[in-house]
Amino acid sequence: MTAELVRGQNHPLPDTRLEIRVSAGHPVVAGATLCDERGRMGGAEWIAHPGSPSLPGVEVSQQAAADHRLAVDLEALPAGVHLVSVLLALPVGVGGPARFGAVAAPFVAVTGLDGTEIATFTIAGLDRESAVVAVELYRRQGAWKVRAMGQGYEGGLAAMLADHGAERPAELAASILDAVAQGMARSVSAPPPRLPDAERVRQPSPATASDAAPTPPPPATAPTPAPAPGTPGLSGATTGSAASAPGGPINYAHPRRPTAAPEARPAPPVPVAGDAAGWSMDERLYNQVWGMFEDLARTAAAYRSACDFAESRLDQELDRALSDPRSRIGGAGDAAREAARAKRDELTARAQEALDRDLAQLAAEAQVVEPALPAAFARWDNPVWHAYRVPMEAPLAVRLGDLHLPERTDLRIPMLVRLPLERGLWVDSGRGRSEAAGLLDAAELRRLAMDAAVAHAARLLAVYPSGEFAVHVIDPAGAGAASLAPLVEAGVLAGPPAAGPAGVDAVLAQLTERVDLLQMAIRAGAADALPPGMDTAEQLLIVHDFPHGFDDRAVTRLRYLADEGPAVGVHLLMVADREDASAYGPVLDPLWRSLLRLTPVADDHLADPWVGHAWTYEPPRLPSGSQVLRQVLAQVAEARRQWG
């Protein structure tokens, strides 16, 4: 079944050898850029265009045309390529239209080699843009997807290439468009379409044509919007699904996708939970959440880039106005400055409109996805916890909190981390640069940090099958007793919280020996040679109030567990303020870098892998007065007693 995409929507690709078909109704330039995982080009040699139409895995047309077929072999792409962007641009210097708003809405179809359509996208809503990123093919976790983009650039091909990180984009764009212009100058115009025999009649001469009765136009099959002011005529050509009356408005509707008037455009599709690739519902929901995370990152990046462009344009126009002595005084200068600011406001308003539309779509999707999440992915206030049962198998991932951007703080994306954990966790009990932490005293901040660590540990205990996850605690001074009460009272810890230097040394020695034994068994290929009765469950060590109560030997063991433990199922959950350990100097820097830093209050310290936004992390919150944590831990303890 063909997926009809809207701007920002993605769809999995079942094949790696594809055709991308473009139908624009007017000659356009088609190209493709190969980008790394950050969406940046490696150089001019990473773009396929009419002057250089072939790259490993991609081949494009050698001249501008109304219809294109781009060949893509995803398996043949260079290893460092994670993103293929399909670009469309209007040729310049050939007497054609200068903006996409004057031509039919381009239609893009991603098909298999047999012509079967996988996904389609009509790039509607363009106006002054002369270049557009039509679609993206991107790789996520080894699987390829297509995303409908429709991101236009009023600055043309040069602005688009600059946004992709090309060096000297203006020169590169000029060389591409020059090659296109030369190719079009050498090309032969297509002959007019041959009329059927019944319609090949002698036309009246100009002298008698005015006396003839006007012939009504054929009935249109789609609405025919009036052209915008200044739209160039196409001299008898029809770009829509029906011809226009002589001298009447031109039909710009796409021949395969009729375009309705703006007020009659259909509403975006209703979001569906699990609308992503995956073998199970949990995997589909996980992939959908990550898709929402990436979509929000790119949506915000597009908005910020558009606002930066508007401000840069304003600065340039003001500089030009001030550089002209005639405009420094009198009304001409004021008019130029007002026009520049009005243009800036217009560009910013258009960017805000696009942002609001995309955020509304993501918010609607989040409202559908959040209630459908399983316990491992759900917030503590989700009703799924009231029906909690100890699972029979470990989940794909676990939720460690929420993420949001300043563009819309109420749009929260679940922060899902794959299991088993690939690195330890660190709940920072220091103030750092967080404004929220700066409003709390040190004791309250430490308490919140320990509460957050207990919530993380409880969730990990709850999402693993009975007996497959164990939690140890080091609390040298017993300062975390109040926060640890739910774990201690439920009896789900591997042992009492270790206190004092002797307790700290005993727990660290036990886990260090475990890591040594498992590493030797794995390296020797003798997993069956482990001591009988050795617990094979994943192990989590909560370390509170570090480095108080730790000698140099304990610190060395802790660093060893952080580096070598995750590979054999031993994980750290540190609750500490880095400033308290400043006496160790750079010795502990590798320890902090090896851990995923979390905070007990909102803090914008996390960055995404695509555009590097600073995301605000929100720790998990238990509903006020709720007993859900104790109820879940009680079921975990009961399952352990039943299963031995």
Side-chain angles (χ1 to χ4, degrees):
M1 181 178 177
T2 303
E4 295 191 9
L5 305 181
V6 297
R7 186 176 275 105
Q9 191 177 4
N10 58 51
H11 187 74
L13 293 172
D15 303 315
T16 57
R17 301 184 65 188
L18 308 164
E19 257 192 5
I20 300 177
R21 303 181 179 184
V22 178
S23 181
H26 188 278
V28 296
V29 181
T33 58
L34 308 184
C35 302
D36 58 18
E37 58 187 4
R38 298 177 303 163
R40 313 296 287 178
M41 291 171 51
E45 67 277 5
W46 280 38
I47 176 172
H49 56 84
S52 177
S54 296
L55 292 179
V58 178
E59 185 172 355
V60 303
S61 305
Q62 298 187 30
Q63 63 181 15
D67 298 289
H68 291 271
R69 289 191 176 187
L70 286 66
V72 179
D73 186 351
L74 299 175
E75 293 183 346
L77 294 171
V81 174
H82 290 258
L83 177 70
V84 179
S85 296
V86 177
L87 318 176
L88 303 178
L90 292 172
V92 299
V94 295
R99 59 190 183 91
F100 273 107
V103 299
F107 174 75
V108 181
V110 180
T111 74
L113 293 183
D114 59 354
T116 303
E117 289 185 346
I118 301 170
T120 62
F121 174 43
T122 302
I123 312 175
L126 299 177
D127 187 8
R128 298 180 179 87
E129 299 87 347
S130 59
V132 62
V133 178
V135 295
E136 286 182 348
L137 311 180
Y138 64 98
R139 177 165 51 190
R140 180 190 293 156
Q141 299 175 357
W144 284 91
K145 294 185 178 182
V146 57
R147 176 186 287 107
M149 294 295 293
Q151 180 177 347
Y153 294 82
E154 290 188 24
L157 189 58
M160 185 193 312
L161 295 177
D163 200 28
H164 282 71
E167 297 181 358
R168 296 190 294 274
E171 297 178 16
L172 180 57
S175 65
I176 295 173
L177 296 174
D178 183 60
V180 172
Q182 293 179 13
M184 295 184 70
R186 292 192 300 267
S187 63
V188 179
S189 300
R194 182 180 177 86
L195 294 173
D197 292 341
E199 297 185 18
R200 274 189 276 157
V201 297
R202 185 177 182 85
Q203 298 296 324
S205 64
T208 60
S210 60
D211 299 330
T215 304
T221 58
T224 306
T231 300
L234 295 185
S235 178
T238 58
T239 58
S241 57
S244 301
I250 299 169
N251 182 0
Y252 290 103
H254 192 276
R256 294 185 57 193
R257 292 291 186 273
T259 304
E263 62 274 7
R265 286 176 185 168
V270 178
V272 178
D275 186 16
W279 291 102
S280 65
M281 187 61 176
D282 286 3
E283 185 178 3
R284 291 197 295 272
L285 286 168
Y286 172 82
N287 290 333
Q288 187 172 11
V289 168
W290 265 97
M292 293 165 59
F293 180 42
E294 183 174 352
D295 290 344
L296 180 54
R298 295 187 184 277
T299 294
Y303 169 71
R304 295 178 186 181
S305 176
C307 291
D308 290 344
F309 172 75
E311 292 295 336
S312 175
R313 178 182 178 129
L314 173 64
D315 292 340
Q316 293 174 5
E317 293 186 354
L318 291 178
D319 289 342
R320 283 197 296 268
L322 292 174
S323 64
D324 186 356
R326 295 171 299 179
S327 62
R328 293 178 186 172
I329 57 175
D334 294 339
R337 287 188 285 272
E338 288 300 323
R341 293 189 181 96
K343 183 62 178 179
R344 186 270 314 273
D345 295 342
E346 178 189 356
L347 292 175
T348 304
R350 290 172 58 190
Q352 184 68 49
E353 180 183 359
L355 175 70
D356 292 342
R357 181 180 64 247
D358 293 342
L359 291 181
Q361 182 177 347
L362 282 170
E365 187 174 7
Q367 290 178 357
V368 172
V369 169
E370 187 69 47
L373 295 177
F377 302 174
R379 291 196 301 252
W380 284 111
D381 59 357
N382 192 309
V384 70
W385 287 107
H386 296 289
Y388 168 77
R389 295 293 181 269
V390 177
M392 300 301 293
E393 60 181 14
L396 184 69
V398 67
R399 185 172 188 161
L400 296 182
D402 294 333
L403 299 170
H404 67 81
L405 289 174
E407 279 75 12
R408 182 162 178 175
T409 57
D410 63 331
L411 178 53
R412 307 294 175 90
I413 305 296
M415 180 180 172
L416 304 182
V417 176
R418 290 294 294 260
L419 293 179
L421 295 172
E422 297 179 355
R423 57 194 298 202
L425 307 176
W426 165 33
V427 181
D428 190 354
S429 59
R431 284 190 168 85
R433 297 189 301 269
S434 171
E435 295 182 4
L439 300 176
L440 302 173
D441 60 36
E444 178 66 10
L445 201 55
R446 293 178 187 275
R447 183 190 67 79
L448 291 176
M450 195 58 186
D451 288 347
V454 169
H456 292 313
R459 181 182 290 266
L460 287 166
L461 282 167
V463 301
Y464 271 91
S466 178
E468 293 191 13
F469 197 85
V471 177
H472 308 260
V473 176
I474 290 179
D475 187 17
S483 297
L484 290 168
L487 297 176
V488 175
E489 294 171 3
V492 293
L493 295 178
V504 171
D505 185 71
V507 172
L508 290 177
Q510 173 191 350
L511 292 178
T512 301
E513 181 183 4
R514 174 189 177 86
V515 171
D516 289 339
L517 290 173
L518 288 172
Q519 282 189 336
M520 288 188 293
I522 292 173
R523 290 167 183 168
D528 55 349
L530 291 171
M534 182 176 181
D535 185 9
T536 59
E538 297 274 321
Q539 309 287 315
L540 178 71
L541 173 60
I542 302 177
V543 179
H544 181 230
D545 214 15
F546 176 83
H548 304 296
F550 286 76
D551 55 20
D552 291 345
R553 184 181 181 185
V555 170
T556 301
R557 284 176 169 172
L558 199 64
R559 286 186 54 190
Y560 177 73
L561 292 178
D563 293 337
E564 305 295 336
V568 291
V570 178
H571 313 283
L572 289 183
L573 175 50
M574 300 277 292
V575 183
D577 180 0
R578 187 171 182 172
E579 292 298 323
D580 292 342
S582 59
Y584 288 92
V587 174
L588 289 182
D589 287 351
L591 171 65
W592 305 119
R593 287 196 298 266
S594 68
L595 304 174
L596 174 60
R597 178 175 176 254
L598 306 175
T599 53
V601 293
D603 189 49
D604 58 348
H605 65 280
L606 295 175
D608 63 77
W610 301 288
V611 291
H613 289 319
W615 290 77
T616 297
Y617 167 78
E618 291 276 357
R621 302 290 187 193
L622 288 166
S624 179
S626 173
Q627 296 296 312
V628 63
L629 184 67
R630 294 181 179 273
Q631 293 170 2
V632 168
L633 291 176
Q635 291 204 37
V636 172
E638 179 63 24
R640 289 188 175 186
R641 287 190 290 269
Q642 292 181 359
W643 292 91

